[in-house]
Amino acid sequence: YVDLLLQHALSLQESRRHDEALELLDRILSDHPHDAKCLGFRAVSLAALDRFEEAIESARLSIECAPESSFGYFCKAKVLIYK
């Protein structure tokens, strides 16, 4: 179920509907606060909305939740590119 919601959030991001994606990601995180993918996607949407401090923090949390995964690092790089 969470994977389907994340897929929808990614579709929203690809359509540049970052405000809607962020709303969905925040809802997912309310039930799954340590979901590294969700935190990474959230970081990207926050950066796209020029909310860089929050974006960096979300990317940091993504890395903290799954330090063995490259995904959080990838999202942090995307945030830094936006900045």
Side-chain angles (χ1 to χ4, degrees), residues 5 7 12 19 22 25 27 29 32 38-39 48 55-58 60 70 72 75-76 80:
L5 292 175
Q7 190 172 24
L12 291 169
D19 52 343
L22 183 58
L25 293 165
R27 283 196 318 231
L29 285 169
H32 306 277
C38 191
L39 288 161
I56 291 290
E57 178 62 13
S58 193
R60 185 191 68 75
S70 62
C75 291
K76 185 173 182 180
L80 295 173

Side-chain angles (χ1 to χ4, degrees), residues 4-38:
L4 289 174
L5 292 175
L6 288 174
Q7 190 172 24
H8 182 58
L10 181 58
S11 294
L12 291 169
Q13 286 179 333
E14 289 171 348
S15 299
R16 299 180 191 262
R17 295 164 56 190
H18 291 282
D19 52 343
E20 293 173 63
L22 183 58
E23 185 179 317
L24 177 57
L25 293 165
D26 283 342
R27 283 196 318 231
I28 296 168
L29 285 169
S30 69
D31 291 330
H32 306 277
H34 303 291
D35 188 298
K37 275 190 178 179
C38 191

Side-chain angles (χ1 to χ4, degrees), residues 39-40 42-48 50-64 72-83:
L39 288 161
R42 183 176 188 271
V44 172
S45 280
L46 286 165
D50 295 328
R51 294 167 59 181
F52 295 110
E53 295 300 319
E54 293 170 272
I56 291 290
E57 178 62 13
S58 193
R60 185 191 68 75
L61 290 171
S62 177
I63 293 167
E64 185 178 292
Y73 299 97
F74 173 75
C75 291
K76 185 173 182 180
K78 286 186 80 166
V79 167
L80 295 173
I81 289 170
Y82 270 108
K83 193 172 183 181

